Amino acid sequence: MSNNAAIKIEVVVPYQCLLGEGPVWDAKTNVICWIDILKGDIHEYSPDRKKHSTITVNQMVGAIAICKSGGFMGALKNGFGFIDRKTGTVKMIGNPEWHLPANRFNDGKCDPEGRFWAGTMACSNEHEAGSLYIINKQKIIKKKADAITISNGLAWSPDHLVLYHIDTPTSEVTSFQYDRVTGNISHRKIAFKIPKEDGLPDGMTIDNNGNLWIAHWGGWQVSRWDPVTGEKLFSFSLPVSKVTSCTFGGKELTDMYITSAMQELSEDELKEQPLAGSLFVIRNCGFKGIPANEFDA
Ligand code: CA
């Protein structure tokens, strides 16, 4: 069920985020991108060139997506915006929660049609204060779901018929019927529930067999789940408790990149897990992802 001694978990680069999150593989440049939500930093690392670079957007950043033109689309503290990948300069597009200053954007991903989906949460974690939004290439923003506490873990099934979503404190993975043409979602239901002893479900990705990979906040692992049966199929153990998100990368999409956090760890916990906040990679992990969708701009 879980990794043995043959599995090698490497630290990608000796840098520790406060709240590392949102890993996305850029297939055009063969670079892994990830963020530090609380610091407002966006990191990039090129395994080929062994080069790490960082930009700052000067506000919290909940998620990024790669644009077809090469830049970043971001879900930020103050709404959606395009981010200059060299300088970090943000060109804001719009904020559907301009009237809710206590909220911020959290996790987001692009759908198969190149629309960007991202959810919000209260900075205080207030119950059901967040919503899920979509922005399309015409820059029209719409609300798709509400009454969400901490919006996380978006993934589309390989046949593009299902959207999976996580509202972390519920421990539930939710599924929606997804209409690729219109972007409509319907038939919200609980696909399966993560047992409390495994921590809370956070970020998520999907492999080429349609199984979900979930990062476990407080659960020391990423794990693979069959969304139809709700069965836990496999897990990779990690040397840090707050595992935040995961994605497949590398030219063949067979490397698994995993982000983590050191936020709110005590001094004793930090001694026990000195790599907390690192970006990890499991090269040739034995599973294969599907390419990250890009924003149509
Ligand atoms: Ca998250």
Side-chain angles (χ1 to χ4, degrees):
M1 271 285 278
S2 72
N3 49 305
N4 54 37
I7 296 289
K8 198 170 149 208
I9 295 172
E10 298 173 55
V11 172
V12 173
V13 60
Y15 181 89
Q16 289 163 270
C17 291
L18 201 52
L19 180 51
E21 265 282 1
V24 52
W25 178 257
D26 182 0
K28 287 198 282 277
T29 56
N30 287 315
V31 157
I32 184 73
C33 308
W34 72 107
I35 60 178
D36 189 326
I37 292 182
L38 301 175
K39 286 182 164 176
D41 290 341
I42 302 172
H43 298 273
E44 297 195 34
Y45 181 79
S46 160
D48 295 339
R49 291 178 287 124
K50 301 202 180 342
K51 188 173 179 289
H52 175 209
S53 59
T54 307
I55 55 172
T56 301
V57 296
N58 295 311
Q59 57 179 297
M60 283 187 272
V61 53
I64 52 165
I66 312 284
C67 297
K68 286 185 176 151
S69 57
F72 292 132
M73 160 60 90
L76 304 152
K77 170 71 185 77
N78 301 329
F80 290 107
F82 289 113
I83 301 164
D84 184 304
R85 203 158 159 174
K86 286 203 180 74
T87 63
T89 304
V90 179
K91 201 168 128 194
M92 292 306 300
I93 302 166
N95 186 3
E97 296 198 342
W98 57 272
H99 58 302
L100 299 172
N103 277 13
R104 68 167 174 85
F105 267 98
N106 200 44
D107 211 346
K109 295 263 175 67
C110 280
D111 75 5
E113 280 297 306
R115 312 172 188 99
F116 187 45
W117 297 61
T120 57
M121 59 178 278
C123 293
S124 63
N125 297 347
E126 185 191 328
H127 186 62
E128 296 187 349
S131 296
L132 178 65
Y133 296 91
I134 183 175
I135 179 166
N136 65 10
K137 68 175 170 185
Q138 286 83 26
K139 299 174 190 161
I140 296 165
I141 301 169
K142 283 185 186 159
K143 187 188 280 193
K144 305 300 283 189
D146 57 12
I148 296 164
T149 303
I150 304 180
S151 187
N152 265 310
L154 294 156
W156 285 264
S157 60
D159 61 10
H160 304 149
L161 296 175
V162 183
L163 165 63
Y164 298 103
H165 178 259
I166 288 169
D167 185 3
T168 292
T170 66
S171 292
E172 293 163 358
V173 178
T174 304
S175 70
F176 296 87
Q177 278 183 25
Y178 165 72
D179 184 321
R180 178 174 177 166
V181 175
T182 61
N184 287 341
I185 52 174
S186 59
H187 299 83
R188 182 179 188 162
K189 66 170 197 194
I190 299 163
F192 59 96
K193 203 162 174 161
I194 304 291
K196 281 275 180 265
E197 61 269 24
D198 279 349
L200 291 169
D202 193 343
M204 176 165 66
T205 192
I206 195 159
D207 64 30
N208 64 344
N209 289 314
N211 290 309
L212 294 169
W213 287 84
I214 293 174
H216 294 244
W217 177 263
W220 303 84
Q221 61 184 300
V222 292
S223 61
R224 186 184 196 224
W225 298 77
D226 181 331
V228 178
T229 64
E231 186 190 355
K232 187 180 187 182
L233 304 170
F234 191 83
S235 68
F236 286 121
S237 299
L238 288 152
V240 294
S241 63
K242 292 184 169 175
V243 186
T244 53
S245 192
C246 56
T247 197
F248 289 93
K251 292 185 181 86
E252 305 298 324
L253 296 175
T254 50
D255 301 332
M256 174 161 283
Y257 286 91
I258 300 157
T259 51
S260 67
M262 56 193 290
Q263 181 197 12
E264 291 165 11
L265 288 181
S266 69
E267 234 169 80
D268 284 349
E269 286 171 319
L270 280 169
K271 268 184 208 147
E272 188 193 2
Q273 35 179 316
L275 296 174
S278 299
L279 175 71
F280 299 94
V281 64
I282 304 168
R283 293 185 206 284
N284 300 309
C285 70
F287 303 91
K288 191 176 164 77
I290 51 180
N293 299 313
E294 296 181 341
F295 187 71
D296 194 5

